Amino acid sequence: MEDPLDALRPLMATHSLDALIVPSEDSHQSEYVSARDKRRAFVSGFTGSAGLALITMDDARLWTDGRYFLQATKELSDRWKLMRIGEDPSVENWIADNLPSDAAIGVDPWCVSVEAAQRWEHAFSKKKQSLIQLSTNLVDEVWKTRPPLEIHPVVVQPLEFAGRSVAEKLKDLREKLAQENAYAIVIATLDEVAWLYNVRGNDVAYCPVIHAFAIVTDDSAFFYVDKRKVSAEVHQYLTKNGIEVREYGVVESEVALLASGELRYSSSRKDSQVEAPKDGEIGLTRNNENEAKENKSSFIWVDPGTCCFAIYSKLPSERVLLQQSPLALAKAVKNPVELEGLRKAHIRDGAAVVQYLVWLDNKMQDIYGASGYFLEPEGTNKRKRSETMKITEVSASDKLEGFRAKQEHFKGLSFPTISSVGPNAAIIHYSPNLKSCSELDADSIYLFDSGAQYQDGTTDITRTVHFGNPSAHEKACYTAVLKGHIALDSARFPTGTTGHALDILARVPLWKDGLDYRHGTGHGIGSYLNVHEGPQLISFRPHARNVALQPSMTITDEPGYYEDGNFGIRLENVLIVKEADTKFNFGDKGYLSFEHITWAPYQKKLMDPTLLTPEEIQWVNNYHSTCREVLLPYMDEHEIAWLKRATEPISS
């Protein structure tokens, strides 16, 4: 097959381009995209979820962050140069410094956010370089095996799981618009559209979302989606909630009409004064001119981080309010029904994880005579592999999915399972491949990071185990990660604190030994939505300062340590932010703390109790005690015996 670089460069010359930027994102700036939108992976060979490719006539570079340095090194051919974000110059700075003045840099404006495009334009302008908005995506023109468009149905998320009606959410949204002197908002983020309209889909693997846009005005609501995905029942549901369904492809032209005040409901509404438009036409009222004049002092709200540049370019810049979507925070602060659903989903998920660990422990004993969660006497874990049996990273991952699939409300996985042994565990976002995956080894650490989509909640958990006799170094590293994990879980902090301030708590135990990790410590998690959800996060990165943690937000607690070529360790629970009961209330700020809702034992074998404080030991014992309490009803007799043994108290 022809290398995409060789196919793209003649096309670039035809368009008079000096360089082509190929982002990872789709038209909705999604982290995870459908197979047909994986353009950056196609051109570069790098399959991680985050990255940006730059192609010039004689160079090709791939930017990605610390989670993917090892993976990118393995996947990129020698025609590509890896650029490490945080260590190497940014893409805009590299272009400004290495391409000639008046250079033309092309990009598909549907695949880049307003924020990124404006940043690039500013950097390029310093040398009179220009960002060119291409009318077609050049990668699509050379991608002969691009996966076809698939049609998946839109489904309604019932109120018993959503917790709040569409009417309530629209009312809150319109109040936010009024507060900001905006009369409309363009919503491009897939999970925000799904959350606002209480619908779900299957257009992106692992994410229950639909490829759709939404426009909401002070008196209208539109849903731009491939109408083939909308059944009569769902259409009726949307109409009943005041939402008009329109074709996905007309959103670009209708955004332009929105700016002129001409975008209105079709005349199917009782108060309309015009004839109903034919299919594909845009319904307008006779009072558009007056309404447009009235709205000239108002703004159209656009989120610069999630709206694509193509949509923004259809709007007069002086009429646009560039500000984070109000739905981001509204979605992040879970309502009581969503919180209860998340708690229940995590209990069932914990049961599946424990059943998997019991199965894995038994299999490793059969194959190697090695036990996972129980430390055997020195010398009993001699390698005696059975040649008739083996467990691979992929077969283990499949087995875990099988246990989850038996749980109530299971809809699928929430991301590709990271099932990794030894050196593979040091690749932070490793994804095992059936053809090249490793076999589980009694002498190596095994890390699995996995989660599921249940209709009442999304889960994400990481545990690290060893089936032989871990070294003192491995135990010390695991214990340092555990100490950081406990420190964050146990934190109490004043209202207004951001995740940037809390990130250090999980790192201090590692820093004491000169260790660290290259990823953030926590991300939000959806309610049967995306496993990575903002705007809140716990991270060392500056944008973690932007949003303070609030009660009823969800956040993960996942410090780690990765030793290239040797092993990786990560521990992860999901937390709910809650109000803290403190003895004092300095400054009348109010204080917050965390409630952990993930339930699966930690491996006592990998702990060095002498490195734990009495308070940390008590935390582990209390956590394990609650694990027994909440998970025993889901276990059979054999699993109960295992769980009781795995959660026996530890002492120093």
Side-chain angles (χ1 to χ4, degrees):
M1 186 180 77
E2 184 181 21
D3 191 313
L5 291 176
D6 297 326
L8 278 170
R9 282 171 174 147
L11 269 180
M12 291 166 55
T14 300
H15 287 78
S16 302
L17 297 178
D18 296 280
L20 176 68
I21 295 176
V22 184
S24 300
E25 291 77 16
D26 59 11
S27 298
H28 306 270
Q29 305 308 296
S30 306
E31 176 186 15
Y32 295 114
V33 300
S34 66
R36 65 184 276 104
D37 288 323
K38 294 182 178 180
R39 299 178 178 91
R40 189 227 61 228
F42 167 72
V43 299
S44 68
F46 169 63
T47 60
S49 65
L52 181 145
L54 176 71
I55 301 166
T56 70
M57 287 303 178
D58 55 9
D59 199 359
R61 293 173 181 258
L62 186 286
W63 276 259
T64 192
D65 62 51
R67 295 171 297 168
Y68 295 105
F69 289 169
L70 277 179
Q71 181 179 340
T73 301
K74 291 176 178 289
E75 292 182 342
L76 292 175
S77 75
D78 56 9
R79 300 187 71 178
W80 287 84
K81 166 73 174 177
L82 173 61
M83 303 295 285
R84 293 171 168 82
I85 294 176
E87 300 178 12
D88 294 321
S90 65
V91 64
E92 61 267 26
N93 288 339
W94 189 91
I95 288 172
D97 292 340
N98 291 275
L99 293 186
S101 296
D102 301 325
I105 300 95
V107 71
D108 181 347
W110 288 93
C111 297
V112 60
S113 70
V114 179
E115 187 176 72
Q118 290 184 336
R119 185 176 69 248
W120 296 344
E121 285 186 325
H122 177 72
F124 299 162
S125 67
K126 296 176 182 178
K127 288 199 173 180
K128 297 183 180 180
Q129 297 167 330
S130 56
L131 183 68
I132 306 299
Q133 296 188 50
L134 299 172
S135 58
T136 60
N137 192 297
L138 301 190
V139 175
D140 293 350
E141 294 190 32
V142 303
W143 192 359
K144 304 304 182 185
T145 58
R146 188 184 180 203
L149 178 68
E150 296 181 354
I151 304 300
H152 300 287
V154 176
V155 296
V156 176
Q157 175 73 336
L159 192 59
E160 64 180 290
F161 298 114
R164 300 194 74 218
S165 68
V166 175
E168 291 175 299
K169 293 178 180 180
L170 285 173
K171 179 178 180 292
D172 288 349
L173 176 57
R174 287 174 175 136
E175 288 175 355
K176 292 288 186 182
L177 294 178
Q179 290 171 12
E180 298 293 338
N181 194 30
Y183 74 95
I185 183 170
V186 180
I187 305 162
T189 312
L190 299 183
D191 62 337
E192 289 186 6
V193 176
W195 178 85
L196 178 64
Y197 291 160
N198 284 346
V199 290
R200 300 293 188 270
N202 193 31
D203 285 352
V204 179
Y206 310 105
C207 305
V209 294
I210 311 111
H211 282 136
F213 292 93
I215 293 177
V216 176
T217 73
D218 47 18
D219 65 353
S220 311
F222 302 92
F223 183 43
Y224 297 90
V225 63
D226 188 324
K227 288 186 177 180
R228 292 173 293 176
K229 301 175 183 179
V230 183
S231 67
E233 292 78 12
V234 173
H235 194 283
Q236 184 180 21
Y237 157 82
L238 292 166
T239 302
K240 183 179 178 181
N241 281 283
I243 304 163
E244 183 158 330
V245 180
R246 295 193 173 171
E247 279 292 350
Y248 182 82
V250 304
V251 66
E252 184 177 15
S253 59
E254 297 211 346
V255 165
L257 287 170
L258 176 66
S260 63
E262 296 178 342
L263 179 65
R264 307 298 296 168
Y265 270 123
S266 70
S267 59
S268 58
R269 285 181 47 173
K270 293 181 180 179
D271 59 351
S272 179
Q273 302 176 32
V274 296
E275 293 181 0
K278 296 177 182 179
D279 188 41
E281 291 182 343
I282 300 168
L284 309 176
T285 70
R286 292 174 179 166
N287 296 320
N288 289 333
E289 187 176 344
N290 292 333
E291 289 167 355
K293 290 178 180 178
E294 291 174 4
N295 287 328
K296 278 193 173 180
S297 61
S298 297
F299 295 102
I300 299 169
W301 195 325
V302 169
D303 187 326
T306 61
C307 182
C308 65
F309 201 45
I311 293 287
Y312 171 76
S313 298
K314 295 296 179 181
L315 299 169
S317 58
E318 71 276 6
R319 298 280 308 286
V320 177
L321 173 66
L322 281 177
Q323 191 167 289
Q324 184 180 74
S325 167
L327 297 182
L329 189 58
K331 176 168 53 65
V333 179
K334 305 295 185 288
N335 65 58
V337 171
E338 290 174 320
L339 290 177
E340 189 58 25
L342 281 161
R343 292 185 183 99
K344 291 178 178 177
H346 279 80
I347 290 173
R348 297 193 306 275
D349 197 67
V353 170
V354 168
Q355 290 164 349
Y356 169 65
L357 286 169
V358 174
W359 171 84
L360 194 56
D361 225 1
N362 290 335
K363 288 297 180 183
M364 293 302 285
Q365 289 184 58
D366 290 342
I367 299 171
Y368 294 107
S371 179
Y373 267 53
F374 319 120
L375 183 60
E376 306 298 338
E378 189 71 29
T380 62
N381 281 327
K382 296 297 183 182
R383 189 178 182 87
K384 62 166 192 176
R385 180 183 181 279
S386 168
E387 294 301 327
T388 62
M389 302 169 62
K390 69 176 182 178
I391 303 173
T392 67
E393 293 166 330
V394 169
S395 65
S397 172
D398 291 344
K399 191 68 179 180
L400 175 54
E401 182 176 358
F403 283 115
R404 284 192 163 109
K406 297 175 183 177
Q407 300 298 323
E408 185 181 15
H409 300 314
F410 177 79
K411 296 294 184 180
L413 299 182
S414 56
F415 59 96
T417 297
I418 299 170
S419 175
S420 52
V421 178
N424 291 339
I427 303 173
I428 296 171
H429 274 202
Y430 172 78
S431 182
N433 182 286
L434 185 62
K435 295 180 180 179
S436 61
C437 66
S438 296
E439 184 179 336
L440 267 66
D441 181 354
D443 298 325
S444 300
I445 277 179
Y446 173 61
L447 181 157
F448 65 99
D449 182 351
S450 63
Q453 295 286 5
Y454 301 96
Q455 194 163 14
D456 53 351
T458 302
T459 68
D460 187 0
I461 177 175
T462 308
R463 291 294 183 264
T464 304
V465 297
H466 197 297
F467 295 99
N469 288 307
S471 68
H473 176 59
E474 289 171 328
K475 291 171 68 174
C477 293
Y478 180 96
T479 306
V481 172
L482 177 63
K483 288 169 73 72
H485 181 74
I486 294 171
L488 180 57
D489 178 281
S490 306
R492 293 189 178 190
F493 47 94
T495 300
T497 300
T498 68
H500 190 272
L502 296 177
D503 182 77
I504 190 175
L505 297 176
R507 297 181 190 269
V508 165
L510 288 156
W511 287 354
K512 287 181 178 178
D513 291 327
L515 306 178
D516 205 350
Y517 51 97
R518 289 191 176 101
H519 57 77
T521 302
H523 58 82
I525 192 165
S527 176
Y528 185 36
L529 275 173
N530 293 351
V531 71
H532 292 161
E533 181 179 86
Q536 76 279 17
L537 71 160
I538 299 174
S539 175
F540 58 91
R541 294 185 173 90
H543 59 278
R545 300 189 184 105
N546 296 343
V547 177
L549 298 184
Q550 297 183 25
S552 299
M553 281 182 170
T554 54
I555 198 82
T556 61
D557 172 6
E558 49 178 312
Y561 171 66
Y562 311 90
E563 200 162 281
D564 293 358
N566 195 2
F567 63 84
I569 296 165
R570 183 161 64 252
L571 299 173
E572 178 183 18
N573 285 352
V574 173
L575 312 175
I576 294 174
V577 184
K578 65 177 184 178
E579 293 181 355
D581 182 16
T582 55
K583 184 176 180 181
F584 302 104
N585 183 17
F586 182 81
D588 292 324
K589 290 183 176 181
Y591 281 72
L592 302 174
S593 61
F594 295 117
E595 169 196 353
H596 45 246
I597 60 173
T598 302
W599 303 108
Y602 304 96
Q603 190 182 42
K604 293 184 292 182
K605 178 196 287 191
L606 269 170
M607 299 178 195
D608 183 347
T610 65
L611 301 177
L612 295 172
T613 66
E615 292 78 15
E616 290 165 341
I617 289 173
Q618 187 61 47
W619 186 97
V620 171
N621 289 338
N622 289 342
Y623 178 85
H624 280 168
S625 176
T626 308
C627 275
R628 289 195 303 273
E629 180 183 339
V630 301
L631 298 181
L632 283 181
Y634 295 85
M635 307 284 107
D636 63 23
E637 184 177 346
H638 176 67
E639 292 161 349
I640 287 173
W642 185 97
L643 181 59
K644 286 182 176 179
R645 191 178 176 195
T647 57
E648 288 174 349
I650 61 172
S651 57
S652 57

